[in-house]
């Protein structure tokens, strides 16, 4: 075979190899991406309707894949990795029972449930139950939520 034919075959082989690796990387990337609709479709979360059956709610702001999801606070809203939580977060920095947002006669109160990495309200670590106002930012792991 001539050198030109061998060069074309080598380049074709390299192109196929690159396509193969890119397909694998794409498949891994899409399978590792979070699925925000999973928690809502399983019925574990309590979504607030647009007509507003309850005035107190927590809205996810970050990550962008879940931005806009709204969870009402009827009596209390438990947040964590566990399936028994009202708001389940798939994040390794979130404890199984991480935090609680409870409705009291004075407003909403955020409590950390002994989590490893902490719960933050407006970038301040929650060490005791703290009353929060509308517009306060709540961070648990890499998830940022706003109280409304």
């Amino acid at each position: 075979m001539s050198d030109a034919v061998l060069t074309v075959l080598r380049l074709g082989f390299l192109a196929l190899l690159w396509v193969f690796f890119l397909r694998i990387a794409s498949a891994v990337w899409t399978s590792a991406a979070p699925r925000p609709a999973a928690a809502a479709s399983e019925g574990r979360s309590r979504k607030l309707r647009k007509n507003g059956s309850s005035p107190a709610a927590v809205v996810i702001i970050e990550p962008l894949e879940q931005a806009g999801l709204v969870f009402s606070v009827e009596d209390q809203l438990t947040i964590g990795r566990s399936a028994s939580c009202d708001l389940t977060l798939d994040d390794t920095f979130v404890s199984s029972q991480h935090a609680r947002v409870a409705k009291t006669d004075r407003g909403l109160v955020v409590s950390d449930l002994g989590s490893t990495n902490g719960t933050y309200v407006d970038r301040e670590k929650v060490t005791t139950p703290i009353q929060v106002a509308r517009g306060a930012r709540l961070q648990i792991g890499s998830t940022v939520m706003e109280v409304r």
Side-chain angles (χ1 to χ4, degrees):
M1 279 201 251
S2 70
D3 287 335
V5 172
L6 285 175
T7 303
V8 169
L9 287 174
R10 284 182 191 151
L11 290 175
F13 177 73
L14 285 175
L16 285 174
L17 194 61
W18 273 103
V19 168
F20 174 73
F21 283 122
L22 289 175
R23 294 283 303 217
I24 289 175
S26 172
V28 169
W29 182 262
T30 56
S31 69
R35 295 182 181 124
S41 67
E42 291 173 13
R44 291 192 309 251
S45 62
R46 297 175 292 188
K47 274 194 147 178
L48 179 68
R49 299 195 176 165
K50 289 230 180 201
N51 62 7
S53 60
S54 175
V58 174
V59 180
I60 295 180
I61 298 190
E62 292 178 13
L64 293 177
E65 298 86 27
Q66 297 177 334
L69 288 177
V70 181
F71 298 88
S72 67
V73 182
E74 311 262 333
D75 250 348
Q76 69 177 6
L77 179 73
T78 55
I79 304 169
R81 257 192 357 238
S82 173
S84 65
C85 291
D86 299 313
L87 172 51
T88 304
L89 300 175
D90 186 24
D91 186 343
T92 57
F93 291 102
V94 176
S95 298
S96 59
Q97 297 281 327
H98 196 100
R100 177 182 300 122
V101 180
K103 188 187 282 187
T104 66
D105 52 347
R106 295 176 299 157
L108 292 180
V109 175
V110 174
S111 305
D112 184 82
L113 301 176
S115 66
T116 304
N117 295 311
T119 302
Y120 294 85
V121 172
D122 293 329
R123 298 187 182 193
E124 296 288 328
K125 189 170 185 175
V126 175
T127 55
T128 61
I130 182 173
Q131 187 172 353
V132 294
R134 291 177 191 255
R137 297 264 171 138
L138 174 64
Q139 181 171 356
I140 297 174
S142 62
T143 304
V144 178
M145 297 162 268
E146 184 176 302
V147 176
R148 294 191 182 164

